[in-house]
Short mmCIF file of all heavy atoms in Angstrom, two decimals:
data_model
loop_
_atom_site.label_atom_id
_atom_site.label_comp_id
_atom_site.label_asym_id
_atom_site.label_seq_id
_atom_site.Cartn_x
_atom_site.Cartn_y
_atom_site.Cartn_z
N LEU F 27 218.29 182.02 84.24
CA LEU F 27 218.10 181.18 83.12
C LEU F 27 216.85 181.55 82.24
O LEU F 27 216.91 181.63 81.03
CB LEU F 27 217.89 179.70 83.45
CG LEU F 27 217.65 178.74 82.42
CD1 LEU F 27 218.72 178.67 81.35
CD2 LEU F 27 217.43 177.27 82.96
N GLN F 28 215.86 181.95 82.97
CA GLN F 28 214.67 182.46 82.23
C GLN F 28 214.87 183.72 81.43
O GLN F 28 214.44 183.90 80.34
CB GLN F 28 213.53 182.77 83.29
CG GLN F 28 212.27 183.29 82.64
CD GLN F 28 211.15 183.62 83.72
OE1 GLN F 28 211.09 182.82 84.71
NE2 GLN F 28 210.39 184.61 83.48
N GLN F 29 215.72 184.61 82.05
CA GLN F 29 216.06 185.83 81.30
C GLN F 29 216.77 185.57 79.98
O GLN F 29 216.44 186.17 78.96
CB GLN F 29 216.96 186.80 82.20
CG GLN F 29 216.19 187.35 83.38
CD GLN F 29 217.17 188.15 84.24
OE1 GLN F 29 218.22 188.54 83.88
NE2 GLN F 29 216.70 188.27 85.55
N LYS F 30 217.76 184.73 80.06
CA LYS F 30 218.38 184.32 78.75
C LYS F 30 217.48 183.64 77.81
O LYS F 30 217.43 183.94 76.66
CB LYS F 30 219.62 183.46 79.04
CG LYS F 30 220.22 182.99 77.66
CD LYS F 30 221.60 182.29 77.84
CE LYS F 30 221.99 181.65 76.52
NZ LYS F 30 221.91 182.51 75.30
N ALA F 31 216.69 182.64 78.28
CA ALA F 31 215.77 181.86 77.46
C ALA F 31 214.87 182.84 76.75
O ALA F 31 214.45 182.70 75.56
CB ALA F 31 215.14 180.81 78.29
N GLU F 32 214.23 183.69 77.51
CA GLU F 32 213.17 184.52 76.92
C GLU F 32 213.77 185.64 76.03
O GLU F 32 213.12 186.10 75.08
CB GLU F 32 212.27 185.08 78.00
CG GLU F 32 211.54 183.96 78.74
CD GLU F 32 210.48 184.36 79.71
OE1 GLU F 32 210.33 185.51 79.94
OE2 GLU F 32 209.78 183.49 80.26
N ALA F 33 215.00 186.01 76.24
CA ALA F 33 215.72 186.86 75.26
C ALA F 33 215.98 186.11 73.96
O ALA F 33 216.17 186.77 72.89
CB ALA F 33 217.06 187.30 75.81
N ASP F 34 215.98 184.76 74.02
CA ASP F 34 216.14 183.90 72.82
C ASP F 34 214.80 183.59 72.11
O ASP F 34 214.69 182.67 71.27
CB ASP F 34 216.83 182.67 73.15
CG ASP F 34 218.38 182.88 73.37
OD1 ASP F 34 218.94 183.95 72.93
OD2 ASP F 34 218.93 182.07 74.12
N GLY F 35 213.71 184.23 72.48
CA GLY F 35 212.48 184.05 71.78
C GLY F 35 211.60 183.08 72.44
O GLY F 35 210.51 182.72 71.74
N ASN F 36 211.89 182.50 73.51
CA ASN F 36 211.03 181.53 74.16
C ASN F 36 209.83 182.24 74.93
O ASN F 36 210.07 183.27 75.57
CB ASN F 36 211.81 180.58 75.10
CG ASN F 36 212.87 179.87 74.36
OD1 ASN F 36 212.58 178.93 73.64
ND2 ASN F 36 214.16 180.23 74.62
N ARG F 37 208.70 181.56 74.91
CA ARG F 37 207.52 182.18 75.52
C ARG F 37 206.96 181.17 76.61
O ARG F 37 206.96 179.94 76.46
CB ARG F 37 206.41 182.40 74.45
CG ARG F 37 206.64 183.54 73.55
CD ARG F 37 205.63 183.60 72.43
NE ARG F 37 205.84 182.66 71.40
CZ ARG F 37 204.86 182.38 70.46
NH1 ARG F 37 203.75 183.00 70.46
NH2 ARG F 37 205.11 181.40 69.50
N ARG F 38 206.46 181.78 77.70
CA ARG F 38 206.04 180.98 78.83
C ARG F 38 204.59 181.28 79.12
O ARG F 38 204.16 182.44 79.07
CB ARG F 38 206.96 181.31 80.05
CG ARG F 38 206.50 180.70 81.37
CD ARG F 38 207.49 181.09 82.42
NE ARG F 38 207.89 182.46 82.43
CZ ARG F 38 207.31 183.39 83.25
NH1 ARG F 38 206.36 183.08 84.08
NH2 ARG F 38 207.73 184.66 83.25
N PHE F 39 203.80 180.19 79.35
CA PHE F 39 202.42 180.37 79.66
C PHE F 39 202.19 179.63 80.99
O PHE F 39 202.64 178.52 81.23
CB PHE F 39 201.46 179.86 78.60
CG PHE F 39 201.59 180.60 77.32
CD1 PHE F 39 202.46 180.28 76.36
CD2 PHE F 39 200.76 181.71 77.12
CE1 PHE F 39 202.53 181.04 75.13
CE2 PHE F 39 200.80 182.46 76.02
CZ PHE F 39 201.68 182.10 74.90
N ALA F 40 201.34 180.27 81.87
CA ALA F 40 201.12 179.69 83.16
C ALA F 40 200.15 178.50 83.07
O ALA F 40 200.27 177.59 83.98
CB ALA F 40 200.45 180.79 84.09
N ASP F 41 199.26 178.43 82.10
CA ASP F 41 198.25 177.28 81.92
C ASP F 41 198.48 176.61 80.69
O ASP F 41 198.53 177.32 79.61
CB ASP F 41 196.87 177.80 82.16
CG ASP F 41 195.82 176.75 82.33
OD1 ASP F 41 195.94 175.77 81.55
OD2 ASP F 41 195.02 176.95 83.17
N ARG F 42 198.50 175.35 80.63
CA ARG F 42 198.69 174.61 79.38
C ARG F 42 197.54 174.90 78.42
O ARG F 42 197.78 174.81 77.18
CB ARG F 42 198.79 173.12 79.64
CG ARG F 42 197.50 172.53 80.25
CD ARG F 42 197.72 171.07 80.72
NE ARG F 42 196.47 170.46 81.32
CZ ARG F 42 196.19 170.63 82.60
NH1 ARG F 42 196.95 171.27 83.43
NH2 ARG F 42 195.03 170.17 83.07
N ALA F 43 196.37 175.25 78.95
CA ALA F 43 195.17 175.46 77.98
C ALA F 43 195.51 176.67 77.17
O ALA F 43 194.88 176.86 76.10
CB ALA F 43 193.92 175.60 78.85
N GLU F 44 196.32 177.61 77.58
CA GLU F 44 196.55 178.86 76.83
C GLU F 44 197.32 178.56 75.55
O GLU F 44 197.24 179.35 74.64
CB GLU F 44 197.44 179.75 77.70
CG GLU F 44 196.75 180.34 78.91
CD GLU F 44 197.64 181.30 79.67
OE1 GLU F 44 197.95 182.40 79.13
OE2 GLU F 44 198.06 180.97 80.77
N VAL F 45 197.86 177.40 75.42
CA VAL F 45 198.53 177.02 74.15
C VAL F 45 197.52 176.79 73.01
O VAL F 45 197.74 176.88 71.77
CB VAL F 45 199.52 175.85 74.34
CG1 VAL F 45 200.28 175.57 73.05
CG2 VAL F 45 200.48 176.15 75.45
N LYS F 46 196.35 176.32 73.46
CA LYS F 46 195.16 176.17 72.50
C LYS F 46 195.44 175.14 71.42
O LYS F 46 195.28 175.42 70.21
CB LYS F 46 194.80 177.51 71.88
CG LYS F 46 194.27 178.51 72.91
CD LYS F 46 193.83 179.84 72.19
CE LYS F 46 193.31 180.70 73.25
NZ LYS F 46 192.87 182.13 72.66
N LEU F 47 195.96 173.93 71.84
CA LEU F 47 195.87 172.83 70.84
C LEU F 47 194.49 172.17 70.93
O LEU F 47 193.76 172.33 71.92
CB LEU F 47 196.98 171.75 71.24
CG LEU F 47 198.42 172.29 71.31
CD1 LEU F 47 199.41 171.06 71.49
CD2 LEU F 47 198.75 173.14 70.02
N ALA F 48 194.16 171.53 69.86
CA ALA F 48 192.73 171.04 69.71
C ALA F 48 192.33 170.07 70.82
O ALA F 48 191.36 170.37 71.47
CB ALA F 48 192.55 170.49 68.31
N ASP F 49 192.97 168.92 70.95
CA ASP F 49 192.70 167.93 71.90
C ASP F 49 193.92 167.16 72.26
O ASP F 49 193.98 165.95 72.00
CB ASP F 49 191.53 167.11 71.45
CG ASP F 49 190.94 166.25 72.57
OD1 ASP F 49 191.27 166.49 73.77
OD2 ASP F 49 190.08 165.41 72.31
N PRO F 50 194.98 167.74 72.84
CA PRO F 50 196.25 167.05 72.91
C PRO F 50 196.37 165.94 74.03
O PRO F 50 197.27 165.07 73.84
CB PRO F 50 197.25 168.24 73.20
CG PRO F 50 196.39 169.18 73.95
CD PRO F 50 195.08 169.08 73.38
N PHE F 51 195.53 165.89 75.00
CA PHE F 51 195.55 165.00 76.08
C PHE F 51 194.67 163.82 75.91
O PHE F 51 194.60 162.93 76.77
CB PHE F 51 195.25 165.65 77.45
CG PHE F 51 196.32 166.77 77.74
CD1 PHE F 51 195.96 168.10 77.48
CD2 PHE F 51 197.52 166.48 78.32
CE1 PHE F 51 196.81 169.06 77.84
CE2 PHE F 51 198.45 167.48 78.66
CZ PHE F 51 198.13 168.70 78.35
N ASN F 52 194.04 163.75 74.78
CA ASN F 52 193.15 162.56 74.46
C ASN F 52 193.98 161.26 74.32
O ASN F 52 194.81 161.31 73.31
CB ASN F 52 192.21 162.90 73.30
CG ASN F 52 191.17 161.94 73.04
OD1 ASN F 52 191.32 160.73 73.13
ND2 ASN F 52 189.96 162.36 72.69
N LEU F 53 193.75 160.22 75.05
CA LEU F 53 194.68 159.09 75.00
C LEU F 53 194.22 158.08 74.00
O LEU F 53 194.96 157.07 73.76
CB LEU F 53 194.71 158.43 76.38
CG LEU F 53 195.52 159.25 77.43
CD1 LEU F 53 195.43 158.54 78.81
CD2 LEU F 53 196.90 159.47 77.06
N THR F 54 193.02 158.26 73.34
CA THR F 54 192.69 157.33 72.24
C THR F 54 192.52 158.03 70.93
O THR F 54 192.58 157.37 69.94
CB THR F 54 191.31 156.65 72.59
OG1 THR F 54 190.28 157.56 72.81
CG2 THR F 54 191.51 155.80 73.87
N ASN F 55 192.42 159.33 70.87
CA ASN F 55 192.27 160.02 69.63
C ASN F 55 192.72 161.41 69.73
O ASN F 55 191.96 162.37 69.60
CB ASN F 55 190.68 160.02 69.21
CG ASN F 55 190.51 160.53 67.79
OD1 ASN F 55 191.48 160.37 66.90
ND2 ASN F 55 189.40 161.12 67.49
N PRO F 56 194.04 161.63 70.06
CA PRO F 56 194.47 163.00 70.29
C PRO F 56 194.56 163.77 69.09
O PRO F 56 194.71 163.30 67.86
CB PRO F 56 195.92 162.72 70.80
CG PRO F 56 196.32 161.38 70.19
CD PRO F 56 195.09 160.64 70.19
#
């Protein structure tokens, strides 16, 4: 499944921090 998905342009990162969103897990001011 991974082979097909990544052939379709999907990217996988081992750590959520690698996505580098500003502050996505903040529960009062995300």
